[in-house]
């Protein structure tokens, strides 16, 4: 079937018009993509969220039963609230060889390139299929891709490898840190502050946990470094605290949030166990006064760190297609860690600079879009034959 053919810039203009800020529905964009693919005779499969307001899209070009190369990207964008933009963030504007608009770098530029490559891919007898995997809610903790990944090997063929098109300025990224967020809720007992022994001070208990977390932070900093990352160690930050009711009341509750940006290889669960050991000692002391006292510790969100490994076929292919011989590590997280953990070797490479992502007047250079299209053409060349990379 011969469907419409558009340039990546034309498709990007269409995609930018959909306000897919993470808290909104991405369905209008998904319907547009579904319709575009249908015009080329490609069926899309959707994985909807619980209330049906958002969906991931999965589609395959080429032999359906063969594990192929997945081109992965998220459809959602970060908010433009309280940012000052020169032009409407949801209308693509071209100035000085740059395409401005929310999501142009992160990462509708890549999505547009993938869609623009469809007619070329369809015109070839592919030995290795190309899968399109577009997710939602990436910007709020890589949430939307998880139900899609759960279908790999079930509803969908598990990809042989995954290319995640986050903005890397078209250089090959083979590792990133993994952000993990904890939430701690401390339940003490209120009392008049003059009668302190009758109460359990939730803020004082938080202080003991903070002391332990600060020790862990120092240890992570002193651990062997990986100079490919900036900073070259895992960070731990207490990012939020909220407790107490009045100056003369022993605080009954306290909430504490902290965030770890783990290097590949850092044992997140060892940190969790250590924290729980201190907490359980505290609970023992607290319950001598107040049997209802408690400390709840929960990992609110975890994106695994990503390390492709030295023998990764995904990295070898990306280097081959990009004509490069050097890989990079980044501190921001992507869906690559999740795909890799699910058994699909992954790599990150995409158009645009992460420095422009999330910023006002976000842009992607037209030259980057051109490089990405070249990369996808070489991917199509390779997928026709599907020879091993090495
Ligand atoms: Zn992104």
């Amino acid at each position: 079937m011969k469907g419409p053919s558009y340039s990546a810039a034309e498709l990007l203009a269409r995609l930018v018009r959909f306000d897919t800020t993470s808290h909104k529905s991405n369905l209008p964009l998904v319907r547009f993509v579904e319709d575009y693919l249908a015009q080329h005779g490609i069926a899309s499969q959707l994985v909807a969220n619980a209330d049906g307001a958002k969906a991931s899209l999965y589609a395959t070009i080429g032999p359906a039963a063969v594990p192929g190369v997945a081109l992965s990207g998220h459809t959602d964008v970060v908010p433009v609230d309280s940012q000052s933009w020169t032009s409407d963030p949801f209308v693509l504007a071209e100035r000085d060889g740059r395409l401005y608009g929310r999501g142009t770098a992160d990462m509708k530029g890549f999505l547009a390139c993938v869609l623009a490559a469809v007619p070329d891919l369809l015109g070839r007898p592919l030995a290795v299929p190309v899968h399109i995997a577009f997710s939602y809610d990436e910007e709020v903790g890589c949430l939307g891709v998880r139900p899609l990944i759960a279908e790999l090997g079930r509803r969908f063929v598990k990809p042989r490898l995954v290319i995640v098109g986050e903005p890397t300025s078209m250089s090959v990224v083979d590792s990133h840190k993994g952000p993990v967020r904890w939430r701690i809720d401390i339940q003490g007992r209120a009392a008049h502050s003059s009668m302190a022994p009758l109460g359990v001070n939730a803020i004082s208990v938080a202080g003991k946990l903070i002391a332990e977390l600060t020790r862990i932070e120092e240890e992570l900093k002193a651990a062997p470094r990986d100079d490919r990352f900036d900073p070259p160690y895992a960070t731990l930050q207490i990012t939020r605290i909220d407790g107490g009711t009045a100056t003369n009341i022993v605080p009954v509750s306290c909430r504490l949030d902290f965030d770890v940006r783990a290097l590949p290889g850092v044992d997140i669960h060892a940190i969790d166990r250590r924290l729980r050991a201190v907490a359980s000692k505290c609970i023992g002391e607290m319950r001598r006064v107040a049997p209802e006292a408690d400390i709840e510790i929960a990992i609110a969100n975890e994106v695994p760190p990503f390390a492709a490994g030295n023998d990764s076929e995904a990295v070898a292919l990306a280097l081959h297609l990009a004509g490069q011989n050097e890989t990079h590590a980044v501190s921001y997280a992507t869906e690559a860690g999740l795909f890799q953990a699910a058994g699909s070797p992954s790599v990150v490479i995409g158009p645009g600079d992460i420095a422009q992502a999330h910023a006002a007047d976000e842009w992607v250079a037209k030259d980057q879009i051109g490089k990405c299209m070249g990369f996808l053409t070489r991917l199509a060349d390779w997928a026709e034959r599907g020879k091993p990379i090495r």
Side-chain angles (χ1 to χ4, degrees):
M1 191 184 293
K2 184 128 178 59
S5 188
Y6 299 107
S7 72
E10 286 167 335
L11 286 160
L12 181 55
R14 296 296 301 271
L15 297 180
V16 165
R17 277 206 172 263
F18 298 103
D19 176 0
T20 51
T21 307
S22 302
H23 66 268
K24 298 186 176 171
S25 170
N26 74 334
L27 287 184
L29 184 150
V30 166
R31 295 291 176 216
F32 168 78
V33 174
E34 192 179 24
D35 187 52
Y36 170 84
L37 293 175
Q39 289 176 50
H40 287 281
I42 304 164
S44 299
Q45 287 174 286
L46 305 190
V47 183
N49 71 344
D51 69 7
K54 297 174 186 174
S56 293
L57 179 147
Y58 197 81
T60 296
I61 305 167
V66 179
V69 177
L71 300 175
S72 154
H74 59 82
T75 59
D76 60 318
V77 296
V78 295
V80 295
D81 308 330
S82 72
Q83 291 186 343
S84 164
W85 282 70
T86 306
S87 54
D88 187 337
F90 299 106
V91 177
L92 193 72
E94 185 179 340
R95 300 191 288 274
D96 308 322
R98 296 170 174 179
L99 300 169
Y100 287 86
R102 171 52 84 225
T104 47
D106 187 13
M107 58 183 290
K108 290 177 173 175
F110 179 73
L111 305 188
C113 290
V114 170
L115 296 178
V118 164
D120 179 31
L121 288 164
L122 270 177
R124 299 165 183 254
L126 298 181
V128 178
V130 171
H131 311 291
I132 295 173
F134 290 173
S135 70
Y136 59 90
D137 280 358
E138 190 273 349
E139 297 290 4
V140 289
C142 291
L143 303 180
V145 77
R146 298 174 200 246
L148 184 150
I149 287 175
E151 296 290 352
L152 300 180
R154 293 156 67 172
R155 246 174 97 192
F156 313 139
V157 174
K158 182 179 283 190
R160 170 168 157 187
L161 44 95
V162 179
I163 295 171
V164 178
E166 289 279 353
T168 66
S169 304
M170 290 309 292
S171 57
V172 178
V173 166
D174 68 350
S175 39
H176 65 62
K177 290 185 179 179
V180 186
R181 296 176 205 148
W182 275 262
R183 173 181 174 152
I184 306 173
D185 287 286
I186 302 161
Q187 181 66 39
R189 178 183 279 185
H192 194 286
S193 59
S194 68
M195 299 300 286
L198 300 180
V200 174
N201 189 320
I203 292 179
S204 298
V205 173
K208 291 180 185 170
L209 300 180
I210 290 172
E212 181 69 2
L213 290 172
T214 305
R215 276 191 288 275
I216 297 172
E217 179 189 357
E218 292 303 321
E219 288 170 28
L220 289 171
K221 209 167 162 178
R225 299 183 160 217
D226 186 339
D227 286 319
R228 298 181 73 217
F229 291 95
D230 179 23
Y233 48 83
T235 52
L236 184 156
Q237 286 297 298
I238 295 151
T239 44
R240 189 181 157 175
I241 188 161
D242 185 12
T245 38
T247 314
N248 58 356
I249 302 176
V250 174
V252 61
S253 66
C254 185
R255 172 180 169 179
L256 192 64
D257 292 356
F258 70 101
D259 159 272
V260 171
R261 299 280 164 153
L263 289 178
V266 165
D267 186 353
I268 288 303
H269 299 282
I271 295 174
D272 193 68
R273 281 195 298 276
R274 215 169 125 179
L275 182 65
R276 283 174 196 277
V278 174
S280 109
K281 196 161 163 268
C282 290
I283 291 171
E285 291 161 10
M286 293 157 80
R287 287 191 178 157
R288 265 181 245 139
V289 177
E292 78 278 16
D294 204 2
I295 301 173
E296 273 179 44
I297 298 172
I299 293 180
N301 189 261
E302 177 179 0
V303 178
F306 166 56
N310 290 332
D311 54 353
S312 163
E313 191 195 17
V315 173
L317 177 64
L319 287 170
H320 169 72
L321 299 178
Q324 297 168 16
N325 51 28
E326 195 189 352
T327 60
H328 302 267
V330 294
S331 288
Y332 56 89
T334 79
E335 294 170 341
L338 289 162
F339 278 109
Q340 180 92 10
S344 290
S346 302
V347 65
V348 187
I349 178 168
D353 191 328
I354 195 70
Q356 273 85 51
H358 303 195
D361 284 346
E362 178 177 353
W363 54 270
V364 65
K366 285 177 77 179
D367 157 67
Q368 282 286 304
I369 296 292
K371 281 192 174 150
C372 186
M373 290 311 297
F375 180 90
L376 293 173
T377 302
R378 289 188 292 281
L379 172 66
D381 292 341
W382 173 81
E384 252 190 83
R385 299 182 304 277
K387 291 254 162 37
I389 297 304
R390 54 182 175 211

